[in-house]
Amino acid sequence: MKKIKILLGASAIAVAGFFMVAADHIDAPAVQGGTSDITDFYAFQGENTNNIAFVANVQGLLSPTATAAAAFDENVLVEINIDTDGDNVEDLVLQAIPRNGKLYVFGPVAPSTTGLNSVIQTSAVQTSVDITAYGSTAVTATGSNGVMVFAGPRDDPFFFDFNQYSAILSGNAPGGFNNPGTDTFAGSNVMSIVIEVPKTLIGGTGNISAWVETKSK
């Protein structure tokens, strides 16, 4: 689970340039390297300043060769949770599930249950998009509620100098990180889900917290 706190703001100016990220790669033993392994979670103001974009990446460290055969797992639900009242319980969810070459996104909608178990809210407004193939032009789709979705492989956007990080931890790098460092993830890919949501659908103003979970059948 990756969690971040987001300021929607009372105006577009208040959130201009806002960007938050939570990330790790293959460090959750129970799902390490599997189809439900989350690598990164981002949230930022969209190009349309009335929107918030959420990005959930899974299946990290895919080589270019492996990426062509990579696919979202139809038994794995990717759920973005949104807490709008500060009690650390999801008030809204965005639920993404793949089927037959498409990604279906439900919500944002109030969940029927909170916590570790989920029920897909099939009665919620649905947005579906063709999953973009590796090396192809990105395909997006916009639902009747204004939610825009992309799904498919993308270059891993996270920069991390893992070797230098390890050297620092072991006391062998008194100077800290190098500038420039070496991106351990350069050339690797992830399976990415991007959901851009009108702020009006998640409250419009104030603070929210958001986190992402993957849930298997």
Side-chain angles (χ1 to χ4, degrees):
M1 180 174 71
K2 308 291 179 290
K3 184 172 184 177
I4 58 180
K5 188 177 290 291
I6 302 168
L7 172 65
L8 289 178
S11 70
I13 294 174
V15 296
F18 181 83
F19 184 92
M20 287 296 292
V21 57
D24 64 52
H25 290 65
I26 59 172
D27 62 359
V31 297
Q32 188 178 76
T35 55
S36 63
D37 192 359
I38 302 167
T39 64
D40 314 286
F41 181 42
Y42 304 86
F44 50 90
Q45 183 170 269
E47 182 177 5
N48 178 342
T49 57
N50 292 317
N51 295 345
I52 292 285
F54 299 96
V55 181
N57 293 336
V58 296
Q59 303 183 43
L61 303 181
L62 290 169
S63 69
T65 302
T67 304
F72 293 104
D73 189 336
E74 295 194 358
N75 292 313
V76 174
L77 170 70
V78 177
E79 185 174 81
I80 295 171
N81 301 275
I82 302 169
D83 168 26
T84 62
D85 58 12
D87 63 358
N88 294 320
V89 177
E90 62 269 38
D91 300 291
L92 297 169
V93 292
L94 290 157
Q95 297 178 317
I97 188 80
R99 285 290 183 278
N100 300 320
K102 288 181 175 289
L103 186 81
Y104 295 85
V105 173
F106 299 90
V109 61
S112 59
T113 182
T114 60
L116 297 179
N117 297 313
S118 292
V119 176
I120 297 178
Q121 302 300 299
T122 54
S123 61
V125 176
Q126 174 193 128
T127 306
S128 64
V129 65
D130 290 334
I131 296 171
T132 298
Y134 182 47
S136 300
T137 301
V139 177
T140 63
T142 303
S144 61
N145 58 356
V147 170
M148 186 163 61
V149 178
F150 163 84
R154 279 295 178 265
D155 181 77
D156 191 332
F158 196 76
F159 185 102
F160 186 49
D161 189 339
F162 182 75
N163 291 332
Q164 191 66 10
Y165 170 76
S166 299
I168 292 170
L169 289 184
S170 61
N172 296 321
F177 283 102
N178 299 318
N179 184 16
T182 300
D183 184 9
T184 304
F185 303 139
S188 66
N189 298 314
V190 294
M191 296 298 289
S192 187
I193 295 172
V194 184
I195 307 174
E196 187 167 318
V197 181
K199 293 178 185 176
T200 53
L201 297 182
I202 49 178
T205 61
N207 294 310
I208 64 171
S209 294
W211 62 99
V212 64
E213 297 173 290
T214 53
K215 299 181 176 180
S216 301
K217 283 184 178 177

